[in-house]
Amino acid sequence: MAMAENQIRVFKSLKETRKPEVAKIIGEIPEWAAGQVSRSCPAKWDYPKFRLNHTFDGYQMITKFDIKGGKSGSVSFTSKFVSSEAFKRAEASQKPIISEFSTRTAGSDAKSALGKIVAMILQATDNCQYICTSEICRNPIVIGHAGFMYELDPKSLHCISKYDSANDFSLHAISAHPLTDPATGETYNVGISIVPAVKWKVVKYPQGCKSSPLKETLKKGKIIGSHSCRTKSGVPLLHSFGMSNNYLVWIDQPCHFNLAKAIKLMFKGFCQREVMDWFPEKKNQFYIFNKKTLKVMKTEILSKDAFVFLHILNCYEENDHLIVDLFGMPNIQFVDAQVLAKLRAWHVLRDAECPRLLRFVIPLGVATIGICPENKNLVSVNSTATALKIDDKIFLQPELVSDVKMDFPTWNKKFSGKDLRFVWTTGALCPSVHHHKVIKLKTIWFGKLFGNEGEMAGFYGMAGWEGFERGRKGLF
Ligand SMILES: [Fe+2]
């Protein structure tokens, strides 16, 4: 398939595939490779007289591959849009009624004057973008950054139920990747409340939720921790956090949604991108939450240089250090590079702006910072990452684990919180031999990257986005 054709297909508005399309199989699918792989992806931006602006704005589609292994094996494909209010109203009006990340509302569908005024005031979109891989529900769920969640029927992909974290937990933002502790079966998530003050919140769901309807799980969830955000009027960009045996780690990126700006623009209209600030001089702040004491470590831990990221890959403890692996980028260019017009013209990220696998190492002894020596590397595990104490703060510099441009990781969840041996990622949207590829990484000895073991099937026609697997043994 020609490259130019691939580029255009990736960001084209799609129709649903209700009737399963059955693939022609060349060779034989292994017996063990049976199950279902679902992905969420933006798939509709275009209406006759209106186009949404950004990848993040696209109405979400769930795609599903049903896989049967063995001699009579088969793969069939179906897809369906998430029936969010945002999508349904846009379809009815043929334009966005609820503003999306980088697209303002194109008007109101309300009939009364009061309804039109209300529509002008901020209404969070329920166009949930991320299919979730944790064990908090019997079925797949999709989550949006504003806290909406849908439970999906895995066969039909219909939405069974919908919840709003702003109502249930007063959370106005949540991580799209709740994490299940493989040792206890408990699931954690990190969110942010903005009323009465901007605060980080930790939610815990008990074990056994894997077989529950989402409604039942959410009833069992409890806020177990809270911590002030470093700015009073900014909501940090939050997509994922890390978890080791004893700790949760989240990172305040110097990329905030400015509430003061949002209030000023409320009656004029705005979208999130218009109130998003990037202030690299503040660096990134790491928060370490103890799962037993439910307290955040008081020591101020900052990155030496600012970075932005979506995905923390893994987090584990080794010899009294906390290892945090993530796919970091040096600035927020990845946001503006995903303006649809640019992508359709294949103006993608430049090499230096792409996500790469970085390793931050935090010596846990910095909790008693008073006894740490100044300006001396406090990291004593096998890594080139450093941690320096300067003026009663800890500054971290990461190790570049791999120069491959990649993101959207997945791994065997049984090994969450441990040093991972295999990781699968997708190539970043930049001119690279790895873009549109699934990458399998093999790691050995203290997580040092051994090499790019092999590129698997190219995913032509699909933008890199979240995935969810169900199967007898798991497909990955
Ligand atoms: Fe994600």
Side-chain angles (χ1 to χ4, degrees):
M1 191 180 285
M3 182 64 76
E5 193 183 338
N6 296 331
Q7 291 159 5
I8 293 165
R9 284 184 63 184
V10 168
F11 303 105
K12 190 176 170 186
S13 289
L14 300 174
K15 290 184 176 167
E16 294 180 337
T17 304
R18 297 282 187 98
K19 188 180 168 197
E21 280 183 7
V22 181
K24 183 183 171 190
I25 305 296
I26 300 168
E28 189 176 316
I29 301 170
E31 190 75 42
W32 56 265
Q36 180 180 320
V37 177
S38 296
R39 306 180 81 231
S40 57
C41 59
K44 180 152 189 182
W45 297 270
D46 301 280
Y47 289 99
K49 294 182 180 172
F50 204 95
R51 189 185 73 195
L52 288 94
N53 294 325
H54 197 276
T55 315
F56 298 174
D57 300 340
Y59 296 110
Q60 290 295 305
M61 174 178 272
I62 306 298
T63 60
K64 181 179 64 142
F65 295 89
D66 283 305
I67 303 168
K68 287 180 190 160
K71 282 199 167 57
S72 58
S74 64
V75 178
S76 62
F77 174 83
T78 47
S79 65
K80 189 177 184 316
F81 282 101
V82 175
S83 53
S84 60
E85 279 301 304
F87 176 63
K88 288 189 287 188
R89 289 167 72 179
E91 287 290 289
S93 302
Q94 295 291 287
K95 61 185 181 183
I97 301 301
I98 299 175
S99 72
E100 298 294 335
F101 172 75
S102 193
T103 304
R104 287 185 184 188
T105 170
S108 169
D109 54 2
K111 296 205 167 39
S112 69
L114 180 62
K116 289 182 193 301
I117 291 169
V118 169
M120 285 166 63
I121 297 174
L122 180 64
Q123 186 175 12
T125 181
D126 61 351
N127 179 26
C128 291
Q129 296 174 312
Y130 311 106
I131 199 159
C132 169
T133 53
S134 74
E135 297 183 354
I136 61 168
C137 183
R138 61 188 173 172
N139 287 322
I141 63 171
V142 281
I143 296 182
H145 279 156
F148 290 102
M149 298 182 202
Y150 292 91
E151 178 179 350
L152 303 177
D153 179 319
K155 284 189 183 160
S156 66
L157 303 181
H158 283 293
C159 294
I160 297 172
S161 57
K162 173 185 173 183
Y163 300 94
D164 178 0
S165 300
N167 286 335
D168 296 339
F169 293 108
S170 295
L171 292 179
H172 304 92
I174 56 170
S175 153
H177 297 281
L179 294 173
T180 301
D181 186 330
T184 65
E186 294 165 325
T187 298
Y188 295 83
N189 204 358
V190 172
I192 298 168
S193 65
I194 59 175
V195 180
V198 185
K199 286 195 165 187
W200 296 100
K201 303 268 180 175
V202 178
V203 190
K204 185 165 93 170
Y205 306 97
Q207 65 166 162
C209 293
K210 194 180 177 182
S211 55
S212 296
L214 183 59
K215 184 179 176 183
E216 296 304 315
T217 298
L218 295 182
K219 276 186 198 165
K220 295 173 190 167
K222 284 200 173 99
I223 303 277
I224 58 162
S226 176
H227 192 82
S228 294
C229 286
R230 61 174 163 168
T231 54
K232 290 193 171 111
S233 62
V235 179
L237 175 66
L238 169 65
H239 186 76
S240 66
F241 64 99
M243 179 172 67
S244 68
N245 287 345
N246 295 298
Y247 301 97
L248 304 184
V249 179
W250 65 85
I251 301 170
D252 186 333
Q253 316 193 44
C255 176
H256 287 184
F257 297 99
N258 187 319
L259 293 175
K261 265 191 204 170
I263 290 166
K264 262 190 200 168
L265 290 171
M266 192 170 275
F267 288 98
K268 195 176 163 193
F270 69 98
C271 59
Q272 286 183 20
R273 180 64 188 97
E274 292 173 88
V275 299
M276 194 168 134
D277 291 337
W278 167 243
F279 42 94
E281 67 283 359
K282 294 278 188 192
K283 318 301 181 189
N284 298 59
Q285 185 161 0
F286 289 65
Y287 295 88
I288 301 175
F289 176 84
N290 187 312
K291 285 152 82 177
K292 293 194 178 74
T293 65
L294 310 183
K295 302 283 186 207
V296 172
M297 188 190 288
K298 286 185 180 163
T299 303
E300 199 171 333
I301 303 171
L302 299 161
S303 58
K304 180 174 173 290
D305 299 307
F307 65 92
V308 68
F309 72 99
L310 289 178
H311 296 110
I312 291 184
L313 166 66
N314 194 27
C315 180
Y316 65 95
E317 294 159 44
E318 181 184 309
N319 294 334
D320 214 25
H321 290 67
L322 201 53
I323 317 289
V324 182
D325 292 339
L326 57 82
F327 295 94
M329 295 164 269
N331 54 49
I332 57 164
Q333 192 54 37
F334 87 101
V335 172
D336 293 328
Q338 293 189 62
V339 168
L340 200 60
K342 289 185 188 175
L343 287 177
R344 285 179 172 172
W346 205 238
H347 293 152
V348 292
L349 283 174
R350 291 183 291 264
D351 184 276
E353 297 156 349
C354 286
R356 288 169 170 81
L357 184 53
L358 306 177
R359 168 160 295 182
F360 289 88
V361 181
I362 305 166
L364 290 165
V366 302
T368 47
I369 191 160
I371 60 170
C372 296
E374 287 266 343
N375 258 321
K376 188 181 168 205
N377 183 15
L378 302 170
V379 173
S380 58
V381 292
N382 185 11
S383 173
T384 57
T386 61
L388 294 180
K389 175 187 167 187
I390 301 169
D391 296 335
D392 278 341
K393 292 176 186 169
I394 299 294
F395 288 89
L396 306 176
Q397 188 154 27
E399 172 181 351
L400 177 63
V401 180
S402 169
D403 200 36
V404 174
K405 289 67 143 182
M406 58 184 163
D407 203 343
F408 295 95
T410 191
W411 63 95
N412 187 329
K413 295 296 185 288
K414 277 194 302 190
F415 300 107
S416 291
K418 297 182 175 67
D419 189 2
L420 297 170
R421 191 165 173 222
F422 294 108
V423 176
W424 287 260
T425 64
T426 56
L429 273 170
C430 57
S432 151
V433 294
H434 297 101
H435 82 262
H436 290 318
K437 302 273 174 63
V438 176
I439 301 162
K440 180 181 179 184
L441 299 175
K442 182 179 179 184
T443 61
I444 55 166
W445 300 336
F446 304 105
K448 290 275 188 191
L449 187 70
F450 176 68
N452 179 3
E453 192 180 60
E455 290 163 3
M456 298 169 75
F459 267 19
Y460 292 112
M462 299 171 82
W465 216 254
E466 318 288 3
F468 177 88
E469 310 90 42
R470 292 161 62 90
R472 288 202 305 268
K473 293 180 182 174
L475 291 172
F476 294 106

